[in-house]
Short mmCIF file of all heavy atoms in Angstrom, two decimals:
data_model
loop_
_atom_site.label_atom_id
_atom_site.label_comp_id
_atom_site.label_asym_id
_atom_site.label_seq_id
_atom_site.Cartn_x
_atom_site.Cartn_y
_atom_site.Cartn_z
N LYS A 896 5.00 8.98 -3.53
CA LYS A 896 4.87 10.36 -3.98
C LYS A 896 4.83 11.31 -2.78
O LYS A 896 4.68 10.87 -1.63
CB LYS A 896 3.66 10.54 -4.88
CG LYS A 896 2.33 10.42 -4.20
CD LYS A 896 1.20 10.64 -5.18
CE LYS A 896 -0.13 10.57 -4.45
NZ LYS A 896 -1.25 10.80 -5.31
N ASN A 898 3.96 13.40 0.24
CA ASN A 898 2.89 13.16 1.19
C ASN A 898 2.94 14.22 2.27
O ASN A 898 3.87 14.25 3.09
CB ASN A 898 3.04 11.75 1.78
CG ASN A 898 1.86 11.34 2.60
OD1 ASN A 898 1.32 12.12 3.37
ND2 ASN A 898 1.46 10.10 2.45
N ASP A 906 8.70 16.93 10.24
CA ASP A 906 9.17 18.26 10.65
C ASP A 906 8.76 18.54 12.10
O ASP A 906 9.54 19.12 12.87
CB ASP A 906 8.64 19.33 9.73
CG ASP A 906 9.22 19.27 8.33
OD1 ASP A 906 10.28 18.62 8.15
OD2 ASP A 906 8.61 19.84 7.40
N SER A 915 12.27 19.25 23.51
CA SER A 915 12.65 18.30 24.56
C SER A 915 14.04 18.62 25.10
O SER A 915 14.28 18.52 26.32
CB SER A 915 12.62 16.86 24.02
OG SER A 915 11.34 16.49 23.66
N LEU A 918 13.90 21.19 27.72
CA LEU A 918 13.46 20.64 29.01
C LEU A 918 14.57 19.85 29.69
O LEU A 918 14.73 19.92 30.91
CB LEU A 918 12.23 19.76 28.81
CG LEU A 918 10.94 20.49 28.42
CD1 LEU A 918 9.86 19.48 28.03
CD2 LEU A 918 10.46 21.37 29.55
N SER A 936 6.42 9.92 18.05
CA SER A 936 5.62 8.76 17.68
C SER A 936 4.54 9.07 16.65
O SER A 936 4.13 8.21 15.89
CB SER A 936 4.97 8.17 18.94
OG SER A 936 4.21 7.04 18.64
N ARG A 942 4.16 7.18 9.28
CA ARG A 942 5.07 6.51 8.34
C ARG A 942 4.75 5.02 8.25
O ARG A 942 4.74 4.43 7.18
CB ARG A 942 6.50 6.73 8.82
CG ARG A 942 7.58 6.23 7.94
CD ARG A 942 7.75 7.13 6.72
NE ARG A 942 8.90 6.74 5.96
CZ ARG A 942 10.08 7.36 6.00
NH1 ARG A 942 10.25 8.41 6.76
NH2 ARG A 942 11.07 6.92 5.28
N ALA A 944 1.89 3.69 8.73
CA ALA A 944 0.61 3.55 8.03
C ALA A 944 0.81 3.51 6.50
O ALA A 944 -0.01 2.93 5.79
CB ALA A 944 -0.32 4.70 8.40
N GLN A 945 1.90 4.07 6.04
CA GLN A 945 2.17 4.08 4.60
C GLN A 945 2.42 2.66 4.07
O GLN A 945 2.33 2.42 2.86
CB GLN A 945 3.36 4.98 4.26
CG GLN A 945 3.24 6.41 4.74
CD GLN A 945 1.92 7.05 4.38
OE1 GLN A 945 1.59 7.18 3.20
NE2 GLN A 945 1.15 7.44 5.38
N ARG A 950 -6.85 -1.50 4.43
CA ARG A 950 -7.45 -0.23 4.80
C ARG A 950 -7.68 -0.16 6.31
O ARG A 950 -7.42 0.87 6.94
CB ARG A 950 -8.76 0.01 4.06
CG ARG A 950 -9.40 1.34 4.45
CD ARG A 950 -10.58 1.67 3.64
NE ARG A 950 -10.13 1.72 2.25
CZ ARG A 950 -10.92 1.76 1.22
NH1 ARG A 950 -12.21 1.79 1.39
NH2 ARG A 950 -10.45 1.78 0.00
N VAL A 957 -3.22 5.21 11.69
CA VAL A 957 -3.46 6.66 11.71
C VAL A 957 -4.16 7.06 13.01
O VAL A 957 -3.89 8.12 13.57
CB VAL A 957 -4.23 7.12 10.44
CG1 VAL A 957 -4.59 8.59 10.53
CG2 VAL A 957 -3.41 6.85 9.19
N ILE A 959 -3.73 5.63 15.88
CA ILE A 959 -2.68 5.63 16.90
C ILE A 959 -1.91 6.96 16.83
O ILE A 959 -1.62 7.58 17.85
CB ILE A 959 -1.74 4.43 16.76
CG1 ILE A 959 -2.48 3.15 17.08
CG2 ILE A 959 -0.51 4.59 17.66
CD1 ILE A 959 -1.70 1.88 16.76
N ASP A 965 -2.84 13.79 20.42
CA ASP A 965 -3.61 14.28 21.57
C ASP A 965 -2.79 14.27 22.85
O ASP A 965 -2.83 15.21 23.64
CB ASP A 965 -4.88 13.44 21.77
CG ASP A 965 -5.95 13.74 20.73
OD1 ASP A 965 -5.89 14.80 20.09
OD2 ASP A 965 -6.84 12.89 20.57
N THR A 967 0.47 14.44 23.05
CA THR A 967 1.49 15.49 22.93
C THR A 967 0.89 16.85 23.24
O THR A 967 1.51 17.67 23.93
CB THR A 967 2.09 15.48 21.50
OG1 THR A 967 2.63 14.17 21.24
CG2 THR A 967 3.17 16.53 21.35
N LEU A 971 2.29 19.41 26.12
CA LEU A 971 2.67 20.78 25.75
C LEU A 971 1.81 21.79 26.51
O LEU A 971 2.31 22.85 26.92
CB LEU A 971 2.56 20.98 24.25
CG LEU A 971 3.58 20.24 23.39
CD1 LEU A 971 3.29 20.45 21.91
CD2 LEU A 971 5.01 20.67 23.73
N SER A 982 8.08 27.10 28.30
CA SER A 982 6.87 27.19 27.47
C SER A 982 7.21 26.94 26.01
O SER A 982 8.17 27.50 25.49
CB SER A 982 6.25 28.58 27.59
OG SER A 982 5.68 28.74 28.86
N ARG A 992 -1.94 21.34 15.97
CA ARG A 992 -3.38 21.44 15.67
C ARG A 992 -3.66 21.11 14.21
O ARG A 992 -4.65 20.45 13.89
CB ARG A 992 -3.90 22.82 16.05
CG ARG A 992 -4.02 23.02 17.53
CD ARG A 992 -4.65 24.36 17.90
NE ARG A 992 -4.27 24.69 19.26
CZ ARG A 992 -3.44 25.67 19.59
NH1 ARG A 992 -2.91 26.45 18.67
NH2 ARG A 992 -3.15 25.90 20.86
N ILE A 994 -1.82 19.17 12.28
CA ILE A 994 -1.62 17.73 12.15
C ILE A 994 -2.85 16.97 12.64
O ILE A 994 -3.32 16.03 11.99
CB ILE A 994 -0.35 17.28 12.90
CG1 ILE A 994 0.90 17.76 12.14
CG2 ILE A 994 -0.32 15.77 13.10
CD1 ILE A 994 2.20 17.65 12.92
N ILE A 995 -3.39 17.37 13.79
CA ILE A 995 -4.58 16.71 14.33
C ILE A 995 -5.75 16.82 13.36
O ILE A 995 -6.47 15.84 13.13
CB ILE A 995 -4.93 17.29 15.72
CG1 ILE A 995 -3.88 16.86 16.75
CG2 ILE A 995 -6.33 16.85 16.16
CD1 ILE A 995 -3.99 17.55 18.10
N ILE A 997 -5.61 17.22 10.07
CA ILE A 997 -5.32 16.38 8.90
C ILE A 997 -5.54 14.91 9.23
O ILE A 997 -6.16 14.16 8.45
CB ILE A 997 -3.89 16.62 8.37
CG1 ILE A 997 -3.76 18.06 7.83
CG2 ILE A 997 -3.52 15.61 7.30
CD1 ILE A 997 -2.32 18.48 7.54
N SER A 999 -7.49 13.64 11.50
CA SER A 999 -8.95 13.43 11.63
C SER A 999 -9.62 13.29 10.27
O SER A 999 -10.47 12.43 10.07
CB SER A 999 -9.60 14.59 12.40
OG SER A 999 -9.11 14.62 13.72
N LYS A 1008 -14.59 5.28 2.33
CA LYS A 1008 -14.25 5.00 0.94
C LYS A 1008 -14.83 3.67 0.53
O LYS A 1008 -14.92 2.75 1.25
CB LYS A 1008 -12.74 4.97 0.74
CG LYS A 1008 -12.18 6.34 0.51
CD LYS A 1008 -10.75 6.22 0.06
CE LYS A 1008 -10.24 7.59 -0.35
NZ LYS A 1008 -8.87 7.56 -0.79
#
Side-chain angles (χ1 to χ4, degrees):
K896 69 179 183 178
N898 189 318
D906 292 341
S915 296
L918 290 171
S936 180
R942 185 75 172 259
Q945 305 311 299
R950 180 173 301 168
V957 175
I959 292 171
D965 286 341
T967 303
L971 291 176
S982 290
R992 287 185 202 110
I994 288 167
I995 290 170
I997 293 169
S999 296
K1008 275 191 173 180

